[in-house]
Amino acid sequence: MKKLSLAAAALFMSINVSAADYVIDTQGGHASINFKIPHLGYSMLLGRFNDFSGNFSYDESNVAATKIEVLVNTASLDSNHAERDKHLKGGDFIEVSKFGDAKFVSTSVVEKSGGKLEVTGDLTLHGVSKAITIDAVKIGEGDDPWGGYRAGFSGTTVLRLGDFNIPERLGPASTEVVMDLHIEGIRK
């Protein structure tokens, strides 16, 4: 009986040890949060958020236990045009003086066929919290050249501006923004 208890304890410990915590590598430029929205229905406005941080816990053998948390400084919005950025950050859109951060916290991660993941969580943006779903895929994981271990993912989601009380001022073709996410984490 004692041998069985020790074997069960060893199995339990090996299961818990395989989960790993990662910090998103924003310092090395190996992660990005990008957006794309039609401008008046005539062209695409592209941009990114330059300042964000986050972490995640991931275990390939227990994907459902994955936890993700990301904090975005909304004032770091960058569309490569200073005057447009000032307008987007102002009262007509994101209102960074009132809503300086956006936050995503996962509530579930479901492994789909073909290596795809369905990440659901709560996004707080412009003072509104709403559940969103991110269609994601694991890019890979392994040792890096600096003695660390990394895991990387990519995902997309579509946000309706009206769902977050962001005025839809760019015309009827511009009510949704596509978020393109690339996350590489360094194991802690």
Side-chain angles (χ1 to χ4, degrees):
M1 185 69 154
K2 207 174 210 183
K3 286 182 183 179
L4 182 59
S5 296
L6 288 174
L11 177 63
F12 178 74
M13 287 173 52
S14 69
I15 289 171
N16 284 338
V17 170
S18 61
D21 293 326
Y22 295 81
V23 62
I24 296 173
D25 183 10
T26 57
Q27 297 303 310
H30 296 114
S32 62
I33 297 177
N34 309 296
F35 63 87
K36 173 173 67 174
I37 186 169
H39 182 257
L40 303 172
Y42 306 134
S43 64
M44 296 303 286
L45 187 152
L46 305 174
R48 58 181 283 145
F49 290 93
N50 292 323
D51 183 14
F52 61 95
S53 61
N55 53 69
F56 60 90
S57 178
Y58 176 76
D59 176 359
E60 186 172 40
S61 66
N62 186 11
V63 173
T66 299
K67 301 290 182 202
I68 306 161
E69 186 171 317
V70 178
L71 185 65
V72 178
N73 174 356
T74 58
S76 72
L77 179 145
D78 180 357
S79 70
N80 199 33
H81 188 275
E83 284 302 310
R84 176 177 49 224
D85 292 350
K86 183 178 174 183
H87 186 215
L88 292 173
K89 294 175 192 180
D92 284 347
F93 293 101
I94 297 180
E95 298 182 86
V96 299
S97 63
K98 288 168 71 174
F99 307 108
D101 293 321
K103 185 175 185 178
F104 175 79
V105 178
S106 66
T107 55
S108 74
V109 177
V110 177
E111 191 169 15
K112 302 295 213 176
S113 63
K116 296 181 180 175
L117 304 168
E118 182 181 88
V119 179
T120 302
D122 296 323
L123 174 64
T124 302
L125 172 65
H126 201 248
V128 176
S129 292
K130 183 168 180 56
I132 65 166
T133 299
I134 301 168
D135 296 319
V137 64
K138 179 181 170 188
I139 303 298
E141 69 177 293
D143 295 327
D144 67 24
W146 308 281
Y149 191 88
R150 294 172 181 257
F153 302 84
S154 181
T156 60
T157 191
V158 176
L159 306 177
R160 288 191 43 79
L161 298 179
D163 289 347
F164 295 94
N165 293 331
I166 297 173
E168 298 171 348
R169 299 183 192 275
L170 296 175
S174 305
T175 60
E176 296 179 335
V177 60
V178 176
M179 301 300 298
D180 189 22
L181 315 163
H182 303 278
I183 302 300
E184 183 175 307
I186 304 169
R187 188 165 60 193
K188 295 180 186 179

